[in-house]
Amino acid sequence: MKKTVVLYPGVAVTHFVPMMQLIDALLEEGYAVVVAIIDITHSKNLAFAAAVDRVAASKPSVTFHALPRIQDPPVVTTDARFLIGYFELVRRYNDHFGEFLRSMPPRSVHAVIVDSMSHVALDVAKELGIPTYTFVSCSASALAVSLHLPFIRKEGQLSLKELGDSPLDFFGVPPVPASHLFGEMYEDPKSELYQVFVNSFCKILEANGMLVNTFDSLEARALGALKDPRFLPGGESIVPPVYSVGPLVEKGGETTKEKHECLTWLDKQPEHSVVFLCFGSFAFHTEDQLKEIAVGLDKSGHRFLWVVRAPPRGDTFAVHGDPDLDTLLPEGFLDRTNGRGLVVKQWAPQVDVLCHKAVGAFVTHCGWNSVQEGIIGGVPMLCWPLYAEQKMNKVFMVEEFGVGVEVVGWQQGLVKAEEVETKVRLVLESEEGEQLRARVTSLKEALATAWNEGGSSRAAIRQFLLDAADVGMAKGRA
């Protein structure tokens, strides 16, 4: 009987998709794979449901098991208290997850890999004596900062809000402004939100190891720090083994049956001439911000491909209607830029776009999946963070990786048209833009070898499997 690796993904697309990219490597190493899924058919998370269906259809040798639906699931809000509801949702599924693991043939499970956002399920597998690992979908640099958070907020110190943009030093990464951390989640040490947030980072240290979606040559300094026994203050906690198994991004050409109109349009554009603007699965801009972007693109004179999503009407997970471009964008904008620019509603095949030779710049929200997709395409980036760890990623992209420039104004809530115009011109016209392109191209070439035979990520996944066997032996599961 083949040994089985059980994957337990989070219910956010941005966490689910990269974890699913582990499947092919595990199959190639001779392991069976089973994916346990929290049943969220009661929710409005249609994007997640579609992603599950897409992956399941493309991997017929993999078993997808939907855990039974729980009664009266907790409400997962879309504000800063999101984590409280999310962690409670996962905790409520622990009994079903445990029953599922116990239903599998004795000693058949080689390891369980749990999404970092589902850390409350770690104890379920550990209590059964199964080697249990955390999957980290963010950067190693963001992980390094996050693991330090429980140690930096002490009695009598200034709050992050009071520190403002003061830089904070962390082992393995460039200085990060206090304002770029996790906002109100970390303001009041006595709040439930603070306790839940900090405890989550303490909990993942209890795993047998962490699989991180990155590759060695991109984040050598942060990965080295995470593996240093002096990493955490006081030596009270130890970081478990870290395996850099990225980049794990959905492959291009697999998400649509027919060629998207934007790819046909790109085929007609000169090489490196188009700026691509896309802000992730859930991000949106106000009508005022959309108008500023439009004016900036218009004045830049450059070709552009812009994915526009309508401002939401409440629930982040809800599917918003198609944006009314005539209302949201300045009068005459579409006519003036016809042929030079293309506005796409809601969605575009991002990996395919970024790998197209016509794309010369990428305006991104700095989500980690998008950052790695930009590197895969060899495209310099204009960094416009919006939420979560994206603000930290912006620092790493600009100061550490050298793959992008900051779009100023995001912290004040409105990026002006002049800034959009200036930064587009900088990347597409200046010597600094050429230097960014050279750096991204160098990383693209390094990334291409990571999953080759003998590459760092291939070696890391094999080391994880060997280490899991050793952990299993120690637990008497040989």
Side-chain angles (χ1 to χ4, degrees), residues 132-167:
T132 308
Y133 294 78
T134 302
F135 177 75
V136 180
S137 58
C138 69
S139 66
S141 301
L143 175 64
V145 173
S146 300
L147 291 178
H148 272 101
L149 292 181
F151 302 93
I152 67 170
R153 184 69 171 86
K154 297 179 181 179
E155 187 97 23
Q157 289 184 335
L158 294 175
S159 69
L160 296 182
K161 185 176 182 180
E162 291 169 321
L163 286 170
D165 290 333
S166 299

PDB file of all heavy atoms in Angstrom, residues 132-167:
ATOM      1  N   THR A 132       2.952  15.873  11.641  1.00  0.00           N
ATOM      2  CA  THR A 132       2.058  16.958  11.252  1.00  0.00           C
ATOM      3  C   THR A 132       2.856  18.217  10.929  1.00  0.00           C
ATOM      4  O   THR A 132       3.684  18.655  11.727  1.00  0.00           O
ATOM      5  CB  THR A 132       1.056  17.254  12.383  1.00  0.00           C
ATOM      6  OG1 THR A 132       0.412  16.031  12.773  1.00  0.00           O
ATOM      7  CG2 THR A 132      -0.008  18.234  11.924  1.00  0.00           C
ATOM      8  N   TYR A 133       2.579  18.792   9.760  1.00  0.00           N
ATOM      9  CA  TYR A 133       3.343  19.921   9.239  1.00  0.00           C
ATOM     10  C   TYR A 133       2.403  21.059   8.884  1.00  0.00           C
ATOM     11  O   TYR A 133       1.225  20.857   8.578  1.00  0.00           O
ATOM     12  CB  TYR A 133       4.160  19.498   8.009  1.00  0.00           C
ATOM     13  CG  TYR A 133       5.231  18.494   8.368  1.00  0.00           C
ATOM     14  CD1 TYR A 133       4.906  17.151   8.567  1.00  0.00           C
ATOM     15  CD2 TYR A 133       6.556  18.884   8.546  1.00  0.00           C
ATOM     16  CE1 TYR A 133       5.873  16.224   8.942  1.00  0.00           C
ATOM     17  CE2 TYR A 133       7.533  17.965   8.910  1.00  0.00           C
ATOM     18  CZ  TYR A 133       7.183  16.643   9.109  1.00  0.00           C
ATOM     19  OH  TYR A 133       8.149  15.738   9.485  1.00  0.00           O
ATOM     20  N   THR A 134       2.948  22.263   8.909  1.00  0.00           N
ATOM     21  CA  THR A 134       2.190  23.460   8.556  1.00  0.00           C
ATOM     22  C   THR A 134       2.596  23.926   7.160  1.00  0.00           C
ATOM     23  O   THR A 134       3.787  23.955   6.830  1.00  0.00           O
ATOM     24  CB  THR A 134       2.460  24.599   9.554  1.00  0.00           C
ATOM     25  OG1 THR A 134       2.109  24.173  10.866  1.00  0.00           O
ATOM     26  CG2 THR A 134       1.638  25.825   9.205  1.00  0.00           C
ATOM     27  N   PHE A 135       1.603  24.292   6.355  1.00  0.00           N
ATOM     28  CA  PHE A 135       1.875  24.890   5.051  1.00  0.00           C
ATOM     29  C   PHE A 135       1.732  26.396   5.169  1.00  0.00           C
ATOM     30  O   PHE A 135       0.679  26.905   5.568  1.00  0.00           O
ATOM     31  CB  PHE A 135       0.910  24.368   3.989  1.00  0.00           C
ATOM     32  CG  PHE A 135       1.123  25.010   2.642  1.00  0.00           C
ATOM     33  CD1 PHE A 135       2.201  24.650   1.850  1.00  0.00           C
ATOM     34  CD2 PHE A 135       0.262  25.995   2.174  1.00  0.00           C
ATOM     35  CE1 PHE A 135       2.422  25.248   0.622  1.00  0.00           C
ATOM     36  CE2 PHE A 135       0.463  26.598   0.949  1.00  0.00           C
ATOM     37  CZ  PHE A 135       1.551  26.218   0.169  1.00  0.00           C
ATOM     38  N   VAL A 136       2.813  27.111   4.837  1.00  0.00           N
ATOM     39  CA  VAL A 136       2.836  28.571   4.949  1.00  0.00           C
ATOM     40  C   VAL A 136       2.783  29.166   3.553  1.00  0.00           C
ATOM     41  O   VAL A 136       3.718  29.025   2.761  1.00  0.00           O
ATOM     42  CB  VAL A 136       4.110  29.034   5.687  1.00  0.00           C
ATOM     43  CG1 VAL A 136       4.131  30.554   5.804  1.00  0.00           C
ATOM     44  CG2 VAL A 136       4.204  28.389   7.063  1.00  0.00           C
ATOM     45  N   SER A 137       1.675  29.838   3.238  1.00  0.00           N
ATOM     46  CA  SER A 137       1.482  30.357   1.879  1.00  0.00           C
ATOM     47  C   SER A 137       2.111  31.726   1.680  1.00  0.00           C
ATOM     48  O   SER A 137       2.206  32.204   0.553  1.00  0.00           O
ATOM     49  CB  SER A 137      -0.015  30.427   1.545  1.00  0.00           C
ATOM     50  OG  SER A 137      -0.701  31.236   2.482  1.00  0.00           O
ATOM     51  N   CYS A 138       2.552  32.385   2.769  1.00  0.00           N
ATOM     52  CA  CYS A 138       3.165  33.704   2.638  1.00  0.00           C
ATOM     53  C   CYS A 138       4.672  33.568   2.434  1.00  0.00           C
ATOM     54  O   CYS A 138       5.211  32.461   2.378  1.00  0.00           O
ATOM     55  CB  CYS A 138       2.870  34.559   3.864  1.00  0.00           C
ATOM     56  SG  CYS A 138       3.700  33.998   5.379  1.00  0.00           S
ATOM     57  N   SER A 139       5.367  34.682   2.338  1.00  0.00           N
ATOM     58  CA  SER A 139       6.812  34.669   2.141  1.00  0.00           C
ATOM     59  C   SER A 139       7.530  34.250   3.420  1.00  0.00           C
ATOM     60  O   SER A 139       7.005  34.382   4.526  1.00  0.00           O
ATOM     61  CB  SER A 139       7.297  36.058   1.722  1.00  0.00           C
ATOM     62  OG  SER A 139       7.108  36.992   2.777  1.00  0.00           O
ATOM     63  N   ALA A 140       8.761  33.748   3.270  1.00  0.00           N
ATOM     64  CA  ALA A 140       9.577  33.423   4.438  1.00  0.00           C
ATOM     65  C   ALA A 140       9.886  34.683   5.233  1.00  0.00           C
ATOM     66  O   ALA A 140       9.994  34.647   6.464  1.00  0.00           O
ATOM     67  CB  ALA A 140      10.870  32.738   3.989  1.00  0.00           C
ATOM     68  N   SER A 141      10.022  35.802   4.542  1.00  0.00           N
ATOM     69  CA  SER A 141      10.303  37.073   5.222  1.00  0.00           C
ATOM     70  C   SER A 141       9.134  37.494   6.098  1.00  0.00           C
ATOM     71  O   SER A 141       9.316  37.919   7.250  1.00  0.00           O
ATOM     72  CB  SER A 141      10.618  38.157   4.189  1.00  0.00           C
ATOM     73  OG  SER A 141      11.728  37.807   3.390  1.00  0.00           O
ATOM     74  N   ALA A 142       7.906  37.397   5.574  1.00  0.00           N
ATOM     75  CA  ALA A 142       6.726  37.728   6.374  1.00  0.00           C
ATOM     76  C   ALA A 142       6.566  36.756   7.533  1.00  0.00           C
ATOM     77  O   ALA A 142       6.159  37.145   8.639  1.00  0.00           O
ATOM     78  CB  ALA A 142       5.476  37.723   5.494  1.00  0.00           C
ATOM     79  N   LEU A 143       6.891  35.498   7.300  1.00  0.00           N
ATOM     80  CA  LEU A 143       6.846  34.507   8.381  1.00  0.00           C
ATOM     81  C   LEU A 143       7.839  34.874   9.473  1.00  0.00           C
ATOM     82  O   LEU A 143       7.523  34.797  10.672  1.00  0.00           O
ATOM     83  CB  LEU A 143       7.158  33.122   7.819  1.00  0.00           C
ATOM     84  CG  LEU A 143       7.278  31.994   8.852  1.00  0.00           C
ATOM     85  CD1 LEU A 143       5.954  31.763   9.571  1.00  0.00           C
ATOM     86  CD2 LEU A 143       7.759  30.700   8.175  1.00  0.00           C
ATOM     87  N   ALA A 144       9.044  35.299   9.086  1.00  0.00           N
ATOM     88  CA  ALA A 144      10.065  35.668  10.067  1.00  0.00           C
ATOM     89  C   ALA A 144       9.587  36.811  10.953  1.00  0.00           C
ATOM     90  O   ALA A 144       9.784  36.795  12.171  1.00  0.00           O
ATOM     91  CB  ALA A 144      11.363  36.049   9.350  1.00  0.00           C
ATOM     92  N   VAL A 145       8.949  37.806  10.352  1.00  0.00           N
ATOM     93  CA  VAL A 145       8.411  38.925  11.138  1.00  0.00           C
ATOM     94  C   VAL A 145       7.284  38.441  12.043  1.00  0.00           C
ATOM     95  O   VAL A 145       7.225  38.763  13.236  1.00  0.00           O
ATOM     96  CB  VAL A 145       7.916  40.046  10.211  1.00  0.00           C
ATOM     97  CG1 VAL A 145       7.196  41.130  11.013  1.00  0.00           C
ATOM     98  CG2 VAL A 145       9.074  40.657   9.432  1.00  0.00           C
ATOM     99  N   SER A 146       6.376  37.650  11.484  1.00  0.00           N
ATOM    100  CA  SER A 146       5.201  37.206  12.231  1.00  0.00           C
ATOM    101  C   SER A 146       5.572  36.388  13.457  1.00  0.00           C
ATOM    102  O   SER A 146       4.951  36.528  14.522  1.00  0.00           O
ATOM    103  CB  SER A 146       4.291  36.376  11.313  1.00  0.00           C
ATOM    104  OG  SER A 146       3.863  37.140  10.202  1.00  0.00           O
ATOM    105  N   LEU A 147       6.582  35.542  13.338  1.00  0.00           N
ATOM    106  CA  LEU A 147       6.975  34.712  14.470  1.00  0.00           C
ATOM    107  C   LEU A 147       7.602  35.543  15.594  1.00  0.00           C
ATOM    108  O   LEU A 147       7.658  35.103  16.746  1.00  0.00           O
ATOM    109  CB  LEU A 147       7.950  33.629  14.013  1.00  0.00           C
ATOM    110  CG  LEU A 147       7.353  32.537  13.117  1.00  0.00           C
ATOM    111  CD1 LEU A 147       8.425  31.551  12.682  1.00  0.00           C
ATOM    112  CD2 LEU A 147       6.217  31.800  13.826  1.00  0.00           C
ATOM    113  N   HIS A 148       8.067  36.746  15.259  1.00  0.00           N
ATOM    114  CA  HIS A 148       8.625  37.626  16.283  1.00  0.00           C
ATOM    115  C   HIS A 148       7.555  38.430  17.024  1.00  0.00           C
ATOM    116  O   HIS A 148       7.829  38.981  18.101  1.00  0.00           O
ATOM    117  CB  HIS A 148       9.617  38.620  15.648  1.00  0.00           C
ATOM    118  CG  HIS A 148      11.012  38.106  15.559  1.00  0.00           C
ATOM    119  ND1 HIS A 148      11.541  37.602  14.396  1.00  0.00           N
ATOM    120  CD2 HIS A 148      11.990  37.991  16.494  1.00  0.00           C
ATOM    121  CE1 HIS A 148      12.792  37.227  14.617  1.00  0.00           C
ATOM    122  NE2 HIS A 148      13.088  37.445  15.882  1.00  0.00           N
ATOM    123  N   LEU A 149       6.364  38.537  16.452  1.00  0.00           N
ATOM    124  CA  LEU A 149       5.352  39.425  17.015  1.00  0.00           C
ATOM    125  C   LEU A 149       5.019  39.142  18.482  1.00  0.00           C
ATOM    126  O   LEU A 149       4.856  40.082  19.277  1.00  0.00           O
ATOM    127  CB  LEU A 149       4.086  39.387  16.164  1.00  0.00           C
ATOM    128  CG  LEU A 149       4.220  40.002  14.767  1.00  0.00           C
ATOM    129  CD1 LEU A 149       2.893  39.936  14.035  1.00  0.00           C
ATOM    130  CD2 LEU A 149       4.697  41.455  14.849  1.00  0.00           C
ATOM    131  N   PRO A 150       4.925  37.869  18.906  1.00  0.00           N
ATOM    132  CA  PRO A 150       4.615  37.641  20.325  1.00  0.00           C
ATOM    133  C   PRO A 150       5.684  38.176  21.277  1.00  0.00           C
ATOM    134  O   PRO A 150       5.425  38.330  22.472  1.00  0.00           O
ATOM    135  CB  PRO A 150       4.530  36.109  20.422  1.00  0.00           C
ATOM    136  CG  PRO A 150       4.198  35.657  19.034  1.00  0.00           C
ATOM    137  CD  PRO A 150       4.926  36.610  18.134  1.00  0.00           C
ATOM    138  N   PHE A 151       6.869  38.498  20.758  1.00  0.00           N
ATOM    139  CA  PHE A 151       7.973  38.885  21.626  1.00  0.00           C
ATOM    140  C   PHE A 151       8.232  40.400  21.636  1.00  0.00           C
ATOM    141  O   PHE A 151       9.017  40.873  22.452  1.00  0.00           O
ATOM    142  CB  PHE A 151       9.262  38.176  21.182  1.00  0.00           C
ATOM    143  CG  PHE A 151       9.156  36.685  21.173  1.00  0.00           C
ATOM    144  CD1 PHE A 151       8.799  36.012  20.016  1.00  0.00           C
ATOM    145  CD2 PHE A 151       9.387  35.941  22.324  1.00  0.00           C
ATOM    146  CE1 PHE A 151       8.693  34.626  20.003  1.00  0.00           C
ATOM    147  CE2 PHE A 151       9.287  34.566  22.320  1.00  0.00           C
ATOM    148  CZ  PHE A 151       8.927  33.904  21.157  1.00  0.00           C
ATOM    149  N   ILE A 152       7.597  41.167  20.719  1.00  0.00           N
ATOM    150  CA  ILE A 152       7.985  42.568  20.596  1.00  0.00           C
ATOM    151  C   ILE A 152       7.066  43.530  21.336  1.00  0.00           C
ATOM    152  O   ILE A 152       7.427  44.675  21.560  1.00  0.00           O
ATOM    153  CB  ILE A 152       8.080  43.010  19.121  1.00  0.00           C
ATOM    154  CG1 ILE A 152       6.690  43.000  18.462  1.00  0.00           C
ATOM    155  CG2 ILE A 152       9.047  42.162  18.346  1.00  0.00           C
ATOM    156  CD1 ILE A 152       6.690  43.661  17.100  1.00  0.00           C
ATOM    157  N   ARG A 153       5.881  43.091  21.722  1.00  0.00           N
ATOM    158  CA  ARG A 153       4.930  43.996  22.389  1.00  0.00           C
ATOM    159  C   ARG A 153       4.938  43.706  23.880  1.00  0.00           C
ATOM    160  O   ARG A 153       4.325  42.755  24.348  1.00  0.00           O
ATOM    161  CB  ARG A 153       3.524  43.806  21.801  1.00  0.00           C
ATOM    162  CG  ARG A 153       2.476  44.765  22.364  1.00  0.00           C
ATOM    163  CD  ARG A 153       2.761  46.194  21.896  1.00  0.00           C
ATOM    164  NE  ARG A 153       1.664  47.065  22.235  1.00  0.00           N
ATOM    165  CZ  ARG A 153       1.534  47.684  23.415  1.00  0.00           C
ATOM    166  NH1 ARG A 153       2.430  47.508  24.353  1.00  0.00           N
ATOM    167  NH2 ARG A 153       0.503  48.472  23.635  1.00  0.00           N
ATOM    168  N   LYS A 154       5.683  44.474  24.641  1.00  0.00           N
ATOM    169  CA  LYS A 154       5.822  44.247  26.068  1.00  0.00           C
ATOM    170  C   LYS A 154       5.180  45.381  26.868  1.00  0.00           C
ATOM    171  O   LYS A 154       4.928  46.460  26.350  1.00  0.00           O
ATOM    172  CB  LYS A 154       7.305  44.118  26.444  1.00  0.00           C
ATOM    173  CG  LYS A 154       7.997  42.929  25.785  1.00  0.00           C
ATOM    174  CD  LYS A 154       9.464  42.866  26.171  1.00  0.00           C
ATOM    175  CE  LYS A 154      10.171  41.690  25.501  1.00  0.00           C
ATOM    176  NZ  LYS A 154      11.612  41.638  25.850  1.00  0.00           N
ATOM    177  N   GLU A 155       4.940  45.101  28.106  1.00  0.00           N
ATOM    178  CA  GLU A 155       4.324  46.066  29.018  1.00  0.00           C
ATOM    179  C   GLU A 155       5.119  47.367  29.029  1.00  0.00           C
ATOM    180  O   GLU A 155       6.340  47.369  29.152  1.00  0.00           O
ATOM    181  CB  GLU A 155       4.299  45.494  30.441  1.00  0.00           C
ATOM    182  CG  GLU A 155       3.541  46.355  31.407  1.00  0.00           C
ATOM    183  CD  GLU A 155       2.113  45.893  31.610  1.00  0.00           C
ATOM    184  OE1 GLU A 155       1.816  44.721  31.368  1.00  0.00           O
ATOM    185  OE2 GLU A 155       1.310  46.733  32.003  1.00  0.00           O
ATOM    186  N   GLY A 156       4.428  48.497  28.860  1.00  0.00           N
ATOM    187  CA  GLY A 156       5.077  49.792  28.938  1.00  0.00           C
ATOM    188  C   GLY A 156       5.633  50.296  27.628  1.00  0.00           C
ATOM    189  O   GLY A 156       6.019  51.465  27.534  1.00  0.00           O
ATOM    190  N   GLN A 157       5.687  49.439  26.616  1.00  0.00           N
ATOM    191  CA  GLN A 157       6.203  49.888  25.323  1.00  0.00           C
ATOM    192  C   GLN A 157       5.116  50.639  24.560  1.00  0.00           C
ATOM    193  O   GLN A 157       3.920  50.463  24.790  1.00  0.00           O
ATOM    194  CB  GLN A 157       6.679  48.698  24.494  1.00  0.00           C
ATOM    195  CG  GLN A 157       7.960  48.058  25.004  1.00  0.00           C
ATOM    196  CD  GLN A 157       8.421  46.957  24.072  1.00  0.00           C
ATOM    197  OE1 GLN A 157       7.643  46.361  23.349  1.00  0.00           O
ATOM    198  NE2 GLN A 157       9.718  46.692  24.087  1.00  0.00           N
ATOM    199  N   LEU A 158       5.560  51.453  23.603  1.00  0.00           N
ATOM    200  CA  LEU A 158       4.612  52.145  22.725  1.00  0.00           C
ATOM    201  C   LEU A 158       3.870  51.133  21.868  1.00  0.00           C
ATOM    202  O   LEU A 158       4.411  50.103  21.478  1.00  0.00           O
ATOM    203  CB  LEU A 158       5.363  53.135  21.835  1.00  0.00           C
ATOM    204  CG  LEU A 158       6.036  54.321  22.520  1.00  0.00           C
ATOM    205  CD1 LEU A 158       6.843  55.122  21.499  1.00  0.00           C
ATOM    206  CD2 LEU A 158       5.006  55.218  23.194  1.00  0.00           C
ATOM    207  N   SER A 159       2.615  51.437  21.574  1.00  0.00           N
ATOM    208  CA  SER A 159       1.848  50.576  20.680  1.00  0.00           C
ATOM    209  C   SER A 159       2.316  50.785  19.248  1.00  0.00           C
ATOM    210  O   SER A 159       3.010  51.768  18.937  1.00  0.00           O
ATOM    211  CB  SER A 159       0.359  50.914  20.772  1.00  0.00           C
ATOM    212  OG  SER A 159       0.107  52.202  20.208  1.00  0.00           O
ATOM    213  N   LEU A 160       1.934  49.868  18.367  1.00  0.00           N
ATOM    214  CA  LEU A 160       2.304  50.018  16.963  1.00  0.00           C
ATOM    215  C   LEU A 160       1.723  51.307  16.384  1.00  0.00           C
ATOM    216  O   LEU A 160       2.350  51.970  15.560  1.00  0.00           O
ATOM    217  CB  LEU A 160       1.822  48.810  16.159  1.00  0.00           C
ATOM    218  CG  LEU A 160       2.449  47.462  16.520  1.00  0.00           C
ATOM    219  CD1 LEU A 160       1.902  46.372  15.617  1.00  0.00           C
ATOM    220  CD2 LEU A 160       3.968  47.529  16.417  1.00  0.00           C
ATOM    221  N   LYS A 161       0.520  51.651  16.840  1.00  0.00           N
ATOM    222  CA  LYS A 161      -0.097  52.888  16.355  1.00  0.00           C
ATOM    223  C   LYS A 161       0.728  54.096  16.766  1.00  0.00           C
ATOM    224  O   LYS A 161       0.936  55.025  15.981  1.00  0.00           O
ATOM    225  CB  LYS A 161      -1.516  53.002  16.889  1.00  0.00           C
ATOM    226  CG  LYS A 161      -2.281  54.202  16.351  1.00  0.00           C
ATOM    227  CD  LYS A 161      -3.718  54.193  16.840  1.00  0.00           C
ATOM    228  CE  LYS A 161      -4.508  55.356  16.263  1.00  0.00           C
ATOM    229  NZ  LYS A 161      -5.924  55.353  16.734  1.00  0.00           N
ATOM    230  N   GLU A 162       1.220  54.070  18.002  1.00  0.00           N
ATOM    231  CA  GLU A 162       2.041  55.182  18.493  1.00  0.00           C
ATOM    232  C   GLU A 162       3.409  55.223  17.808  1.00  0.00           C
ATOM    233  O   GLU A 162       3.984  56.286  17.612  1.00  0.00           O
ATOM    234  CB  GLU A 162       2.213  55.058  20.006  1.00  0.00           C
ATOM    235  CG  GLU A 162       0.930  55.316  20.790  1.00  0.00           C
ATOM    236  CD  GLU A 162       1.060  54.934  22.248  1.00  0.00           C
ATOM    237  OE1 GLU A 162       1.704  53.898  22.541  1.00  0.00           O
ATOM    238  OE2 GLU A 162       0.522  55.658  23.098  1.00  0.00           O
ATOM    239  N   LEU A 163       3.913  54.067  17.422  1.00  0.00           N
ATOM    240  CA  LEU A 163       5.206  54.009  16.739  1.00  0.00           C
ATOM    241  C   LEU A 163       5.118  54.533  15.308  1.00  0.00           C
ATOM    242  O   LEU A 163       6.102  55.002  14.742  1.00  0.00           O
ATOM    243  CB  LEU A 163       5.733  52.573  16.724  1.00  0.00           C
ATOM    244  CG  LEU A 163       6.271  52.043  18.052  1.00  0.00           C
ATOM    245  CD1 LEU A 163       6.519  50.542  17.953  1.00  0.00           C
ATOM    246  CD2 LEU A 163       7.546  52.766  18.436  1.00  0.00           C
ATOM    247  N   GLY A 164       3.928  54.438  14.703  1.00  0.00           N
ATOM    248  CA  GLY A 164       3.728  54.966  13.349  1.00  0.00           C
ATOM    249  C   GLY A 164       4.644  54.308  12.332  1.00  0.00           C
ATOM    250  O   GLY A 164       4.685  53.085  12.209  1.00  0.00           O
ATOM    251  N   ASP A 165       5.408  55.123  11.620  1.00  0.00           N
ATOM    252  CA  ASP A 165       6.296  54.605  10.580  1.00  0.00           C
ATOM    253  C   ASP A 165       7.708  54.296  11.096  1.00  0.00           C
ATOM    254  O   ASP A 165       8.624  54.052  10.304  1.00  0.00           O
ATOM    255  CB  ASP A 165       6.395  55.608   9.421  1.00  0.00           C
ATOM    256  CG  ASP A 165       5.107  55.695   8.622  1.00  0.00           C
ATOM    257  OD1 ASP A 165       4.365  54.699   8.589  1.00  0.00           O
ATOM    258  OD2 ASP A 165       4.846  56.764   8.031  1.00  0.00           O
ATOM    259  N   SER A 166       7.892  54.302  12.408  1.00  0.00           N
ATOM    260  CA  SER A 166       9.209  53.976  12.968  1.00  0.00           C
ATOM    261  C   SER A 166       9.612  52.569  12.540  1.00  0.00           C
ATOM    262  O   SER A 166       8.819  51.630  12.659  1.00  0.00           O
ATOM    263  CB  SER A 166       9.175  54.048  14.496  1.00  0.00           C
ATOM    264  OG  SER A 166       8.837  55.342  14.929  1.00  0.00           O
ATOM    265  N   PRO A 167      10.841  52.402  12.054  1.00  0.00           N
ATOM    266  CA  PRO A 167      11.264  51.072  11.590  1.00  0.00           C
ATOM    267  C   PRO A 167      11.549  50.135  12.753  1.00  0.00           C
ATOM    268  O   PRO A 167      12.102  50.534  13.786  1.00  0.00           O
ATOM    269  CB  PRO A 167      12.539  51.378  10.797  1.00  0.00           C
ATOM    270  CG  PRO A 167      13.068  52.646  11.387  1.00  0.00           C
ATOM    271  CD  PRO A 167      11.865  53.432  11.814  1.00  0.00           C
TER     272      PRO A 167
END
